[in-house]
Amino acid sequence: MKTIGIVGSTGSIGTQALNIVKKYKDRFKILFISCHNNILLLEKQIFTFEPEYAVITGSNRLDSTFKKTKVLYGINELINLIKNEANRIDLVLSAAIGFAGVMPTYTALLSGIDVALANKESIVTAGSLMIDTAHKSGSSIIPVDSEHSAIYQCLDKKKGDNFVQKVILTASGGPFRFRPLDSMDLVSINETLKHPSWRMGNKITVDSATMMNKGFELIEAKFLFGLPSDKLDVYIHPQCIVHSMVSYIDGSTLAQLGLPDMRIPISYALSYPERLDWGAKALTPDLLNGLTFFKPDTAKYKCFKLALDVLKANKNSLMIAINASNEIAVESFLNGDIDFIDIYTVIDKVLELFDPKDIMSIDEIIALDENARSEAKNIINNLRR
């Protein structure tokens, strides 16, 4: 039986993971679950799964008490829990949204715990640190993002990237993949949140609309698989059937295909190196008719272009800054404080304020993140005047 902790159990990834665990109670034991402030759903999860611990990192509090579950409060309690129970945890699913997932991910890897990684910000902001930490502690990172899960399944793990010519990540293109460039300044919040293929949280749905998520995924792929930027590429693939492709120097290309359902990469990460028959709908050949691929328009996806520039600069001060400013800008857009096209403006202005350099200290990474957020908020305040 595999003992699991879930960081971000009330989010989209966390809830789907728990649905899989529920089907395989004889295979998985939940030691802890955590959320930020969604205590109503967390309480339901406590009743259903009876974990030993539940952690709330936000300001909300539970009124109920539980016979089998101890409720803890604050990010420090979550970090200490991972440290103190490391010898009992086989896998931590890192599914928190944004930079909030960085310290739990780092703590798990530092403690020698394998991580099923859905929190891409952990690698975007601290890629070298995370990979080095995992290597030293003997822990593994098993990607949960559909694209990185696909690459993980297609790479020859014994021979690494020695024979890889190109890794191609696919992108849905979000809700605006066919929208004319000259109408992007008219985009509304409701239009942005209507993703045509995937069911995700609001923040990642906006990132899909700007294609910033794909830029982050390129950065993530660079660190996860040790690939230079010139071996990474992106194609928009509206059908979301081919999740990524790995081309080798002999002309062979391996691709991982599946219907757009996040339970596929989630179940793979939870059960690795095995696979689970959780009831997935099979992909049949007739569904492959009419698959299309085309390159993203960087004039329309300006945030994606910024991420490409940061990837090529290869300095994590800029990676930290682009992630922090994007989180603040997306939050402001969802709150109705700025327009969709202002997301790019905020990020671009923040990046101009930071020198490109490498930062390997977790404390310095956190400090720069806080600084970039502060600068983003100042820029947004000026935009609103």
Side-chain angles (χ1 to χ4, degrees):
M1 181 174 285
K2 189 178 290 188
T3 302
I4 296 175
I6 300 181
V7 180
S9 65
T10 59
S12 175
I13 298 295
T15 53
Q16 291 180 82
L18 284 174
N19 286 336
I20 292 168
V21 168
K22 189 176 182 179
K23 186 177 176 64
Y24 286 92
K25 292 180 180 179
D26 59 327
R27 299 280 296 273
F28 302 107
K29 174 186 167 137
I30 302 296
L31 183 75
F32 76 83
I33 56 177
S34 79
C35 77
H36 187 57
N37 269 325
N38 191 349
I39 59 173
L40 293 179
L41 180 53
L42 186 78
E43 187 171 32
K44 292 178 181 177
Q45 292 175 345
I46 291 172
F47 281 121
T48 302
F49 295 95
E50 297 183 327
E52 290 188 35
Y53 301 94
V55 188
I56 300 166
T57 59
S59 58
N60 288 345
R61 295 290 184 269
L62 278 171
D63 294 328
S64 307
T65 56
F66 309 93
K67 289 183 178 180
K68 296 185 178 181
T69 302
K70 183 177 181 179
V71 181
L72 305 172
Y73 295 95
I75 184 66
N76 289 335
E77 290 284 6
L78 175 60
I79 291 167
N80 288 333
L81 171 63
I82 295 171
K83 285 181 186 176
N84 296 335
E85 298 288 356
N87 63 332
R88 299 177 60 204
I89 304 172
D90 297 306
L91 183 75
V92 167
L93 171 60
S94 178
I97 298 171
F99 193 78
V102 171
M103 275 306 297
T105 302
Y106 175 66
T107 303
L109 294 175
L110 191 64
S111 303
I113 304 169
D114 291 343
V115 171
L117 186 67
N119 176 259
K120 62 174 61 67
E121 291 82 2
S122 292
I123 302 298
V124 171
T125 62
S128 293
L129 177 62
M130 296 291 180
I131 300 302
D132 288 351
T133 300
H135 179 72
K136 290 175 182 177
S137 71
S139 54
S140 297
I141 301 173
I142 307 161
V144 173
D145 276 345
S146 60
E147 296 81 5
H148 301 98
S149 177
I151 298 166
Y152 192 77
Q153 294 179 62
C154 291
L155 281 176
D156 186 333
K157 296 176 182 61
K158 292 181 181 178
K159 297 175 181 173
D161 65 340
N162 291 340
F163 304 111
V164 173
Q165 185 175 63
K166 186 77 72 173
V167 170
I168 298 171
L169 285 76
T170 57
S172 68
F176 307 132
R177 56 197 178 199
F178 301 122
R179 187 174 181 125
L181 173 61
D182 59 7
S183 69
M184 292 300 290
D185 58 344
L186 303 174
V187 164
S188 70
I189 295 174
N190 287 337
E191 288 176 307
T192 305
L193 295 178
K194 291 179 181 177
H195 197 284
S197 303
W198 296 98
R199 178 175 57 84
M200 306 178 291
N202 286 352
K203 196 266 181 182
I204 186 62
T205 304
V206 176
D207 285 347
S208 178
T210 64
M211 275 194 68
M212 180 62 89
N213 73 316
K214 205 54 53 179
F216 285 169
E217 287 170 11
L218 285 173
I219 296 172
E220 191 179 1
K222 165 191 163 48
F223 288 108
L224 285 177
F225 307 113
L227 295 166
S229 59
D230 61 0
K231 284 192 176 184
L232 297 167
D233 205 355
V234 169
Y235 277 80
I236 291 178
H237 170 47
Q239 295 79 22
C240 298
I241 296 292
V242 178
H243 299 296
S244 279
M245 296 182 279
V246 178
S247 296
Y248 290 92
I249 56 175
D250 62 355
S252 300
T253 296
L254 302 183
Q256 189 266 334
L257 285 68
L259 295 173
D261 190 327
M262 280 305 298
R263 289 173 295 180
I264 297 173
I266 291 169
S267 69
Y268 182 80
L270 291 179
S271 63
Y272 182 82
E274 301 177 357
R275 293 180 186 263
L276 298 175
D277 180 11
W278 54 267
K281 184 178 178 182
L283 178 65
T284 54
D286 57 290
L287 296 174
L288 302 180
N289 293 330
L291 298 186
T292 55
F293 302 84
F294 56 91
K295 294 292 289 180
D297 180 358
T298 53
K300 180 164 72 173
Y301 296 109
K302 291 183 177 181
C303 289
F304 176 64
K305 177 60 167 60
L306 286 177
L308 290 179
D309 293 340
V310 167
L311 172 67
K312 289 173 184 174
N314 195 25
K315 298 295 180 181
N316 82 315
S317 64
L318 300 181
M319 296 172 186
I320 297 163
I322 195 173
N323 177 73
S325 55
N326 179 67
E327 284 191 29
I328 296 299
V330 169
E331 181 183 15
S332 295
F333 167 68
L334 289 170
N335 289 338
D337 295 331
I338 62 173
D339 293 331
F340 182 81
I341 58 173
D342 292 329
I343 297 174
Y344 162 80
T345 302
V346 172
I347 300 167
D348 186 42
K349 288 181 179 295
V350 169
L351 284 172
E352 291 175 356
L353 301 174
F354 291 88
D355 295 327
K357 59 183 179 179
D358 287 322
I359 301 173
M360 284 297 290
S361 158
I362 191 67
D363 291 334
E364 288 183 81
I365 289 169
I366 292 171
L368 197 151
D369 171 81
E370 291 174 352
N371 188 7
R373 288 171 191 275
S374 177
E375 296 290 358
K377 290 174 183 177
N378 290 336
I379 291 166
I380 288 168
N381 288 336
N382 289 331
L383 286 175
R384 293 168 64 186
R385 287 175 184 170

